[in-house]
Amino acid sequence: MKRFIAPVLGFIIMATTAHAQQPNPEGRRFSPDQVRSVAPALEQHTQDRLYGDVWKRPGLNPRDRSLVTIAALLARGEAGALNYYADQALENGVKPAEISETITHLAYYSGWGKAMVAIGPVSEVFAKRGIGADQLPETTPTPLPLDEAAESARSTNVGNQFGKVAPGLVQYTTDYLFRDLWLRPDLAPRDRSLVTVAALISVGQVEQITFHLNKAMDNGLTEEQTAEAITHLAFYAGWPNAMSALPVAKAIFEKRRG
């Protein structure tokens, strides 16, 4: 009997400890018990490695990790998990307006369809918390100041390369993205860059990372924060996507150091 009781008690203690590591496991789509019934090791790794380690690493605070995670899920079309992660983002200090702006921003970088399917789970979180229109961004707010020199250089460069190939896209890129979307004030430029880079890494858009990671670092993202975002994304977007981003990040870090 003692031999039987000891393993049972050990399992109960392990399960209790695991529960304590993840915030609000009751809010997940699949309970810890459901996951254990199919992949017990996955649940243990979720608690011990993901929440017991990765989410606690000091190089990126929980608020930023929430933004990175939401961007990854949205970019990959994994909207079902947003109910839990949007709720936790609010707990971690992300404002409702910032979640709203992340969805709008990523409509342009991940596609309208992926942004739209995020509406359902996030609307449930907002309704549960009593978040109304007064906490959301204006449709046409007063824009942030534009760096005319930087935007002129970007616009000229893109126009010279692609103006004769797809003039409409080049014009929309100027008018809709860099003279409108990027100037919306309810998501700071640094955070807007963070979610853009996270989305690009999450779907393996390596060729687009160089411009946007440089822009992110111009907007205040540090090397350490970038490295931590990529490390975090290994768990949410897969090791291949994270590893594919490393050579690009390495080259940018070295070039910016001079």
Side-chain angles (χ1 to χ4, degrees):
M1 178 63 72
K2 289 182 179 179
R3 290 182 190 175
F4 176 75
I5 291 174
V8 171
L9 286 175
F11 176 80
I12 292 172
I13 291 170
M14 181 182 72
T16 302
T17 302
H19 265 250
Q21 289 176 347
Q22 181 179 13
N24 186 30
E26 297 80 9
R28 288 171 30 171
R29 282 183 299 167
F30 306 112
S31 71
D33 287 341
Q34 281 179 293
V35 178
R36 289 190 196 99
S37 71
V38 176
L42 175 59
E43 182 59 29
Q44 184 176 345
H45 294 177
T46 298
Q47 300 301 335
D48 295 348
R49 299 180 181 182
L50 190 58
Y51 288 98
D53 187 359
V54 175
W55 274 86
K56 295 180 180 178
R57 289 176 60 87
L60 200 64
N61 64 38
R63 174 192 175 275
D64 289 348
R65 290 186 187 277
S66 282
L67 284 173
V68 168
T69 306
I70 287 174
L73 295 173
L74 198 155
R76 294 171 61 80
E78 298 169 1
L82 283 173
N83 194 293
Y84 175 81
Y85 283 103
D87 191 65
Q88 286 307 123
L90 295 168
E91 290 292 327
N92 288 336
V94 180
K95 298 175 183 176
E98 292 170 331
I99 294 177
S100 173
E101 278 298 304
T102 295
I103 295 172
T104 300
H105 186 86
L106 291 181
Y108 288 85
Y109 283 91
S110 298
W112 239 252
K114 289 178 178 176
M116 285 296 185
V117 297
I119 297 301
V122 175
S123 70
E124 292 175 6
V125 172
F126 282 8
K128 180 182 73 173
R129 287 177 170 262
I131 293 168
D134 60 320
Q135 297 183 62
L136 301 180
E138 296 179 19
T139 304
T140 54
T142 301
L144 297 172
L146 175 67
D147 185 336
E148 290 283 359
E151 171 50 22
S152 177
R154 183 213 62 77
S155 178
T156 299
N157 180 50
V158 173
N160 288 340
Q161 290 186 77
F162 306 116
K164 293 182 179 179
V165 179
L169 178 57
V170 169
Q171 193 62 50
Y172 287 150
T173 301
T174 295
D175 295 344
Y176 292 174
L177 267 66
F178 291 101
R179 290 184 176 271
D180 183 6
L181 184 71
W182 277 89
L183 302 181
R184 292 178 60 83
D186 287 284
L187 191 63
R190 180 261 191 195
D191 296 335
R192 206 171 278 278
S193 282
L194 178 63
V195 300
T196 304
V197 171
L200 294 174
I201 292 172
S202 295
V203 292
Q205 291 284 354
V206 177
E207 290 183 357
Q208 296 294 313
I209 295 173
T210 298
F211 171 82
H212 282 288
L213 182 50
N214 270 304
K215 184 176 178 67
M217 298 186 78
D218 289 343
N219 285 334
L221 195 69
T222 67
E223 282 190 20
E224 181 183 24
Q225 291 166 343
T226 301
E228 278 301 313
I230 296 172
T231 301
H232 189 90
L233 287 169
F235 290 81
Y236 285 93
W239 246 253
N241 285 327
M243 293 300 292
S244 293
L246 287 183
V248 181
K250 180 174 183 257
I252 290 171
F253 293 169
E254 290 174 349
K255 186 173 182 179
R256 291 179 73 94
R257 289 175 196 154

